[in-house]
Amino acid sequence: MRTIRVETSGATILLTEAPEPKVRDRQTGEIAKDANSGEALMTIGGVYIEDGESSLIKVTVPEGGISEGLTLGAPVSLPGLVARPWESVFNGQQRHGIAYRAAAVTPAAFPAATGAAA
């Protein structure tokens, strides 16, 4: 399925869930690995804020792309963020959604306020 590059330059992304290993198989506890590099995958939770609207997102990041100094509630940068639509049938139910993946997650700064009184 096609991946769609996500433009984040006009958005603020806040970290809401600390990085944790992405589980491939809940019954065995097997950790998901990148298909090309074999590197363990992690997930983070965040709130994506742009143009006065917000969405909660879960993002998969390779373990080596997790930066030091991440703080819950603080802004982060997600270089190489892409979205991939998915769908599957589970227990006879059609399910669908959007999976997000980034090359890394790094601390960022809050954007400068525009039009704020000095």
Side-chain angles (χ1 to χ4, degrees):
M1 191 150 276
R2 180 172 167 82
T3 59
I4 303 162
R5 211 170 310 152
V6 179
E7 173 58 51
T8 61
S9 63
T12 299
I13 304 166
L14 304 177
L15 185 66
T16 60
E17 294 178 30
E20 60 183 40
K22 181 173 183 168
V23 178
R24 181 172 188 252
D25 185 329
R26 293 178 198 266
Q27 292 185 351
T28 66
E30 178 185 359
I31 302 302
K33 306 262 188 213
D34 181 89
N36 296 323
S37 70
E39 185 175 10
L41 296 174
M42 308 288 283
T43 60
I44 60 112
V47 61
Y48 184 98
I49 306 166
E50 187 173 29
D51 296 333
E53 296 186 18
S54 64
S55 297
L56 293 174
I57 60 172
K58 283 260 194 202
V59 182
T60 300
V61 180
E63 188 173 33
I66 304 291
S67 295
E68 296 291 323
L70 297 174
T71 304
L72 290 179
V76 293
S77 176
L78 297 170
L81 182 63
V82 294
R84 178 180 296 142
W86 62 268
E87 62 181 52
S88 66
V89 177
F90 183 74
N91 287 336
Q93 297 281 348
Q94 182 79 20
R95 298 176 56 155
H96 62 278
I98 300 173
Y100 293 95
R101 177 133 182 198
V105 57
T106 61
F110 280 105
T114 56

